[in-house]
Amino acid sequence: MARPANKRRKSTAANKENEASGDNRASRTPGGARCLPVANFAELPFDILLEIGTHLTPLDLLDLCRVNNALRNVFTTKSSRAMWKQARANANDLPDPFPEFSEPAWANLIYVRVCNFCWKTKVMEPDFWLRCRICAKCSETQSVSRFSDSSRL
């Protein structure tokens, strides 16, 4: 049985002009808005990136850190600490991180809802005593019970 042909995207006159001129810098979203590649965002001056970061939430900054190495290097430098603190202030009622946590690690603990051991199970609440998110299955295999049998000692 023959396989159906793949559908082709309709091309517009603007797309044909861009292809003919070799202008591949900007593309259009389905709504028609123009968007630039992420590489151009990372090339902005450092102080402008820090200013943009002060208007975001910690989750937004964490997502930007995970886009590529260039953005991670920008948003995880020591000079970006004030930006992370301002982002935490932008999030309502977010407490200060534990002393041993960096701001990105704190944002990861608060917002990313997966087990820190298996990375598969969705865990709704972080365990602040263990300072991680842990699912029930990993809790049995990765942690020591506080009520272990003391007669074996």
Side-chain angles (χ1 to χ4, degrees):
M1 188 162 155
R3 205 170 159 194
N6 291 336
K7 291 185 178 181
R8 292 188 179 186
R9 189 174 179 182
K10 291 182 181 179
S11 63
T12 63
N15 286 345
K16 288 180 183 177
E17 282 180 22
N18 286 344
E19 289 173 6
S21 67
D23 185 16
N24 296 331
R25 291 182 323 150
S27 61
R28 298 224 179 243
T29 63
R34 186 176 174 194
C35 58
L36 294 174
V38 176
N40 291 348
F41 182 75
E43 292 171 3
L44 288 172
F46 186 70
D47 56 337
I48 292 176
L49 287 173
L50 291 181
E51 181 62 31
I52 291 170
T54 60
H55 298 285
L56 302 175
T57 64
L59 180 60
D60 295 332
L61 287 177
L62 192 62
D63 289 339
L64 279 174
C65 287
R66 293 177 175 170
V67 169
N68 60 25
N69 286 340
L71 288 175
R72 185 184 68 215
N73 292 338
V74 168
F75 290 121
T76 57
T77 59
K78 288 183 179 181
S79 56
S80 66
R81 285 182 184 170
M83 176 193 60
W84 279 94
K85 287 182 182 180
Q86 180 59 43
R88 190 168 23 91
N90 294 343
N92 296 334
D93 300 327
L94 190 62
D96 291 340
F98 295 123
E100 67 271 9
F101 272 70
S102 65
E103 293 282 347
W106 182 246
N108 186 58
L109 177 66
I110 298 296
Y111 290 112
V112 179
R113 295 183 172 176
V114 294
C115 176
N116 291 111
F117 294 93
C118 67
W119 294 99
K120 295 178 184 175
T121 309
K122 187 174 184 178
V123 181
M124 296 306 291
E125 294 294 325
D127 188 336
F128 289 109
W129 189 73
L130 293 175
R131 291 171 168 47
C132 66
R133 286 187 188 257
I134 187 166
C135 65
K137 184 179 177 182
C138 290
S139 179
E140 293 174 5
T141 60
Q142 300 293 330
S143 64
V144 178
S145 174
R146 289 184 282 178
F147 307 106
S148 62
D149 186 13
S150 60
S151 63
R152 291 185 183 178
L153 299 175

